Amino acid sequence: MSAAQNDASYPNPEVKGGLVPYLQVDGASKASDFYAKAFGATEVFRYPVDEQGRTMHIHLYVNGSSLMLSDPYPDHGHPLEKPQAFNLTLQVKDIDRWWQRAVDAGATIVLPLQDMFWGARYGQLRDPFGVLWSMNEPK
């Protein structure tokens, strides 16, 4: 355990949600800023960046859940890998407002927002870090 982990000055924010995604992205600090603009995320903790500008942990709250981020650390066996075969789904109210905020922040539309056969409005976006997000609002 590092000195920083033992240091009482580092907060221990509550982890929210029963399943918490932990994303490794190239530029975790920039991703945190983007998620704040695009999805209304609130950063509740960040380890300081190292001499290479990387951080090993950022904790965000997004839509009532926790989302964790880190930069890749190939020198410690954690190289960057392209996100694939998953999406992060935001269950929201006022989906048009959520959608427009994400698009205005720079998310790319993958599947346009539309009424779906399961009785919801739904669409998919890709963020600048390669992560696929979906939004769903039951009718």
Side-chain angles (χ1 to χ4, degrees):
M1 190 177 286
S2 74
Q5 291 167 321
N6 275 331
D7 186 340
S9 67
Y10 282 92
N12 190 11
E14 176 187 1
V15 175
K16 298 180 178 185
L19 177 65
V20 178
Y22 205 121
L23 304 178
Q24 181 188 76
V25 295
D26 186 17
S29 294
K30 289 180 182 176
S32 178
D33 294 342
F34 176 81
Y35 296 153
K37 289 177 192 159
F39 305 119
T42 302
E43 187 175 299
V44 293
F45 180 74
R46 177 193 301 221
Y47 272 106
V49 296
D50 66 14
E51 60 282 347
Q52 295 177 27
R54 305 174 300 183
T55 183
M56 66 176 167
H57 181 73
I58 297 175
H59 184 162
L60 304 171
Y61 290 154
V62 181
N63 196 31
S65 296
S66 287
L67 173 64
M68 311 296 188
L69 304 174
S70 88
D71 282 291
Y73 282 82
D75 45 327
H76 294 286
H78 300 282
L80 181 65
E81 296 190 23
K82 180 181 177 182
Q84 56 188 340
F86 72 91
N87 75 63
L88 300 178
T89 301
L90 293 166
Q91 297 284 20
V92 299
K93 293 182 180 177
D94 196 6
I95 195 168
D96 293 297
R97 182 181 61 81
W98 277 80
W99 184 267
Q100 194 59 53
R101 178 177 60 189
V103 170
D104 289 348
T108 304
I109 297 171
V110 174
L111 176 68
L113 193 58
Q114 58 194 281
D115 293 337
M116 301 303 278
F117 66 90
W118 59 82
R121 284 185 45 79
Y122 177 87
Q124 292 182 342
L125 304 159
R126 189 168 309 280
D127 72 31
F129 307 92
V131 178
L132 184 63
W133 294 76
S134 62
M135 291 186 193
N136 190 74
E137 180 178 26
K139 290 184 169 188

